[in-house]
């Protein structure tokens, strides 16, 4: 039996605070919070760029929501992400860093049908780094289910353009 433990999220992907990791997340469900393994920077150029430019700490836990599961259709555009025709709130694709200083790599705009073993990760926070930038990931990247333990509601929206 795996012991439950807490991790600190300091990213703008989900609210700041402590999340309880509770082990096996399967079967997965849309909207479920999960701790995920960082996608491979060799095969995901946006992850390599994020690590190189220190947009996120390498040792920080990655807490994301399951946005789409195998068999679902994801449409990615500049305005955001749609899953089976349903818009994911605050999922617009930022193409420049805060203040507009640098361009940001993102996954190619288009429509994708998720295959067996693939998931689309979603994070509604401002400047959140999710599958909109690195694409679908293998279900093997999902490590544990996560639940908010003590968080600051709305803090994922504090960072604004120009900050």
């Amino acid at each position: 039996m795996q012991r439950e433990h807490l991790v600190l999220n300091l990213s703008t992907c989900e609210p700041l605070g402590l999340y309880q990791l509770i082990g096996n997340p399967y079967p997965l469900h849309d909207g479920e919070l999960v701790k995920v393994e960082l996608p491979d920077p060799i095969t995901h150029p946006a992850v390599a760029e994020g690590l190189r430019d220190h947009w996120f700490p390498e040792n920080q836990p990655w807490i994301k929501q399951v946005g789409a599961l195998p068999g679902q259709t994801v449409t990615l555009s500049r305005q955001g992400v749609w899953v089976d025709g349903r818009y994911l709130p605050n999922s617009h694709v930022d193409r420049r860093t805060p203040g507009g200083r640098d361009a940001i790599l993102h996954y190619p705009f288009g429509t994708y049908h998720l295959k067996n073993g693939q998931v689309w990760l979603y994070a509604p926070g401002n400047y959140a780094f999710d599958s909109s930038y690195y694409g679908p990931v293998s279900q093997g990247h999902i490590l544990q289910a996560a639940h908010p333990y003590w968080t600051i509601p709305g803090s994922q929206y504090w960072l604004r353009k120009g900050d």
Side-chain angles (χ1 to χ4, degrees), residues 38-101:
L38 181 71
D40 184 359
I42 294 171
T43 56
H44 296 83
V47 174
E49 178 182 69
L51 288 169
R52 182 191 69 230
D53 295 340
H54 307 288
W55 295 342
F56 47 84
E58 192 169 0
N59 298 328
Q60 169 129 191
W62 275 43
I63 306 294
K64 308 288 182 202
Q65 293 180 29
V66 175
L69 295 164
Q72 292 186 294
T73 300
V74 175
T75 300
L76 176 64
S77 75
R78 171 93 171 94
Q79 292 75 32
V81 177
W82 285 260
V83 176
D84 293 337
R86 178 183 47 90
Y87 179 70
L88 297 181
N90 205 37
S91 63
H92 61 279
V93 177
D94 288 306
R95 297 173 69 185
R96 309 228 29 108
T97 57
R101 291 181 294 276

Side-chain angles (χ1 to χ4, degrees), residues 12 19-20 24 31 37 52 66 84 93 96 99-100 104 109 113-115 127 139 161:
T12 60
Y19 288 80
Q20 186 175 31
N24 186 350
E37 178 181 33
R52 182 191 69 230
V66 175
D84 293 337
V93 177
R96 309 228 29 108
I104 300 173
F109 295 141
H113 186 72
L114 297 186
K115 300 175 180 132
Y127 293 100
Q139 284 184 357
K161 285 203 182 285

Side-chain angles (χ1 to χ4, degrees), residues 110-132:
T111 298
Y112 303 93
H113 186 72
L114 297 186
K115 300 175 180 132
N116 277 338
Q118 288 184 320
V119 292
W120 190 272
L121 299 173
Y122 164 63
N126 292 346
Y127 293 100
F129 195 69
D130 60 16
S131 285
S132 298

